[in-house]
Amino acid sequence: MQGTDMDLYRHTDTVNELLARYGVKFGIYKNNEFKEQLFPFDAIPRVIEKDEFAYLEKGLKQRVMALNLFIRDIYSEKKIIRDKIVPEEFIYASSGYLAQCEGVTPPKGVYAHIAGIDLVQGRDREWYILEDNLRVPSGASYPMIARELCRRSSPLAFRQTHIEDNRNYADLLRKTMDYVNTGGLTVILTPGRYNSACFEHSYLAEKTGAHLVTGSELLVEDDHLYFIDYSGRKEPVGAVYRRISDEYLDPMNFYEGSLIGIPHLYDIFRKGNVALLNAPGNGVADDKGIYYFVPKMITYYLGEEPILHNAPTYLPLYKEDMDYVLEHFDDLVLKDVAEAGGYGVVFGNKMTRQQKEAFIALLKKEPRRFIAQEVIDFLDIDIMDRPQSGEDGTQVSNRVPRKADLRAFVLMGEEPMVWKSGLTRFSRNPDSFIVNSSQGGGFKDTWVLSQ
């Protein structure tokens, strides 16, 4: 791959310039201000062997199937609570649990239509799952457009290597949306340009042929959802791939102050007259506290041993786990279960004595709020630093190792489908394990070899 790497590297600046020109950005809110910034791209791909990805694929399908069954169970019979596999207080104390979803089954019984599962590979070559993202996971568009631009700028690299074509993500997404569509148009509901993933919304709409809409273009009338076009004509809508958080989706059922949702949308969803992708209430399953129980869910619902494993995790709510956390505090990473995007993550060995004392006091006061994990020694992957001048004055490319994760995408239609690609995010800081774009990370394409 070395020659391929160098051919791709020569075009890194060109690809990043094109990404900027096409508006491939993400937005973040900081100090009550919205700022857009580029998501830096490193052209050297992460390469995953065919057999290794087949192993990941099998484990990812297993996990997402179990999570779907868990969400269905929690909002219906609650067998897993009655059988004392998951404590009741972990469900109802979760910020992602929505009482409004009790007794509601979405079309075809699918809850997590699009799952973004975050993994890391340790130095022991084992893959560990860090998080399950089942609400509105984003990121698939970045490797899609980066691959397209790399193909244009460096066709030789793709002729020399047998890799899976990642352009089929739109087909998988369309297949998923069509499977649950109740009859009518498929739309992608966006909050608008000030959303952090606005580029992705428009890109996926273009690639899938779905209508990109805001809440003002949708209307609930006579127990059905309609799209109102520029001429005022109404067309029925059967599926909404919503990129709006649960609480803003419907001001009549959730946060009443929402100006970007659709009044009574959830009422017709409850009646089965429209599909919402992903279903409201999924947050109960991607709560970082619930993450601890996913291996038990797999055994409970599927009667199988988990193929992919969690990072070693401790729940301070349990006395034995709290004792372990306090004893090994400096060796652990602690996470606020309700935070995302790399926020609410602290490393015990990075705190001052005063910070540690304050955090431990908070931990004892609110043990359900946090989980603690062993720090996985990530397998470093190379990125290319900017060229430097050698002794003879020539430009020398500088490879440097950085921590990276992989967001794998699993789509659930009639059966689970794993996209043979993914979003590899890396830290640009040599001393950091935080790879999120909102924390200054960059991204790579993920090549899955086909031979």
Side-chain angles (χ1 to χ4, degrees):
M1 295 289 294
Q2 193 76 20
T4 297
D5 284 359
M6 292 312 302
D7 189 54
L8 287 165
Y9 176 71
R10 282 193 290 271
H11 296 92
T12 298
D13 288 343
T14 301
V15 173
N16 274 289
E17 287 168 6
L18 288 170
L19 290 172
R21 185 183 303 172
Y22 294 155
V24 184
K25 302 177 181 179
F26 66 92
I28 56 174
Y29 283 96
K30 195 169 185 179
N31 300 324
N32 294 320
E33 289 186 16
F34 178 79
K35 296 181 179 179
E36 283 188 316
Q37 60 191 62
L38 297 175
F39 195 2
F41 174 66
D42 183 76
I44 308 305
R46 169 180 235 152
V47 178
I48 302 177
E49 299 287 342
K50 178 181 179 181
D51 291 346
E52 185 173 21
F53 194 84
Y55 163 79
L56 288 177
E57 183 176 25
K58 188 175 179 181
L60 289 165
K61 287 181 178 180
Q62 179 195 59
R63 191 173 181 98
V64 172
M65 287 176 66
L67 285 164
N68 265 281
L69 291 170
F70 168 73
I71 301 170
R72 177 188 292 190
D73 187 21
I74 286 305
Y75 289 119
S76 56
E77 298 180 83
K78 300 176 178 55
K79 291 180 180 179
I80 201 166
I81 296 176
R82 291 206 308 268
D83 291 339
K84 301 187 183 305
I85 307 299
V86 178
E88 186 175 26
E89 62 268 28
F90 262 81
I91 302 301
Y92 300 121
S94 170
S95 61
Y97 167 78
L98 294 179
Q100 297 94 324
C101 297
E102 286 289 344
V104 179
T105 302
K108 304 289 178 68
V110 181
Y111 291 80
H113 308 80
I114 302 99
I117 309 297
D118 294 344
L119 309 97
V120 294
Q121 189 173 26
R123 289 188 184 276
D124 58 3
R125 312 299 298 192
E126 288 293 320
W127 288 90
Y128 298 91
I129 291 179
L130 290 186
E131 287 185 9
D132 306 293
N133 298 282
L134 307 175
R135 283 178 268 197
V136 282
S138 62
S141 63
Y142 298 109
M144 286 173 71
I145 192 168
R147 176 83 63 89
E148 183 179 328
L149 296 177
C150 284
R151 280 182 178 277
R152 288 188 214 164
S153 60
S154 183
L156 179 63
F158 293 86
R159 285 199 294 268
Q160 293 177 336
T161 312
H162 298 284
I163 60 174
E164 296 286 351
D165 191 340
N166 78 347
R167 289 174 289 190
N168 70 333
Y169 183 82
D171 294 332
L172 297 178
L173 180 56
R174 184 78 216 193
K175 185 176 181 180
T176 300
M177 296 189 294
D178 288 347
Y179 176 68
V180 295
N181 191 304
T182 60
L185 299 175
T186 294
V187 301
I188 295 179
L189 175 62
T190 176
R193 71 170 300 270
Y194 292 110
N195 182 263
S196 61
C198 183
F199 160 75
E200 176 157 282
H201 307 166
S202 59
Y203 188 76
L204 292 178
E206 175 190 343
K207 294 299 181 182
T208 61
H211 287 67
L212 181 67
V213 302
T214 60
S216 62
E217 297 172 283
L218 297 177
L219 171 71
V220 172
E221 187 175 86
D222 299 327
D223 278 345
H224 287 84
L225 183 66
Y226 294 92
F227 166 63
I228 305 172
D229 69 14
Y230 66 94
S231 67
R233 185 181 60 178
K234 293 188 298 187
E235 295 187 66
V237 175
V240 179
Y241 178 17
R242 52 95 178 203
R243 302 302 296 263
I244 293 178
S245 299
D246 289 350
E247 61 268 33
Y248 298 106
L249 198 55
D250 177 353
M252 308 305 291
N253 284 277
F254 303 113
Y255 172 54
E256 64 182 16
S258 173
L259 300 177
I260 57 175
I262 301 99
H264 300 293
L265 176 64
Y266 191 70
D267 295 325
I268 61 169
F269 170 73
R270 188 186 288 118
K271 294 178 180 179
N273 292 345
V274 70
L276 297 178
L277 297 83
N278 285 342
N282 277 10
V284 71
D286 69 14
D287 180 300
K288 292 183 179 67
I290 296 298
Y291 158 94
Y292 176 91
F293 298 98
V294 177
K296 296 180 180 182
M297 291 178 200
I298 292 170
T299 302
Y300 181 76
Y301 291 117
L302 303 178
E304 301 169 359
E305 287 300 310
I307 296 168
L308 297 172
H309 300 288
N310 287 3
T313 304
Y314 308 94
L315 293 181
L317 191 67
Y318 295 148
K319 182 182 184 304
E320 60 271 26
D321 282 16
M322 176 68 87
D323 291 343
Y324 182 90
V325 171
L326 296 178
E327 184 179 348
H328 300 87
F329 192 86
D330 285 353
D331 301 322
L332 301 173
V333 55
L334 297 106
K335 300 180 178 180
D336 189 317
V337 299
E339 293 283 1
Y343 295 101
V345 177
V346 294
F347 291 82
N349 62 1
K350 301 291 186 183
M351 295 185 190
T352 65
R353 184 168 61 85
Q354 291 82 0
Q355 289 172 331
K356 194 180 303 184
E357 289 173 356
F359 190 93
I360 288 174
L362 180 61
L363 185 64
K364 290 179 177 179
K365 182 182 178 182
E366 301 181 51
R368 170 64 177 85
R369 181 176 167 182
F370 300 96
I371 62 169
Q373 292 179 324
E374 302 286 352
V375 179
I376 300 295
D377 190 6
F378 289 23
L379 181 69
D380 291 323
I381 63 174
D382 284 347
I383 68 169
M384 300 299 287
D385 251 3
R386 291 294 151 195
Q388 300 177 358
S389 295
E391 293 181 1
D392 59 357
T394 59
Q395 293 290 295
V396 179
S397 298
N398 186 29
R399 281 178 178 259
V400 293
R402 292 291 184 267
K403 304 301 181 186
D405 75 351
L406 170 67
R407 173 164 291 185
F409 290 88
V410 185
L411 296 97
M412 179 71 79
E414 190 169 3
E415 59 183 8
M417 302 170 288
V418 179
W419 184 36
K420 292 184 178 178
S421 184
L423 174 65
T424 291
R425 301 175 296 184
F426 62 87
S427 171
R428 291 193 289 165
N429 181 344
D431 301 318
S432 176
F433 284 74
I434 306 297
V435 301
N436 304 75
S437 56
S438 57
Q439 303 290 303
F443 81 102
K444 290 174 172 283
D445 192 2
T446 305
W447 287 13
V448 177
L449 299 185
S450 59
Q451 291 186 4

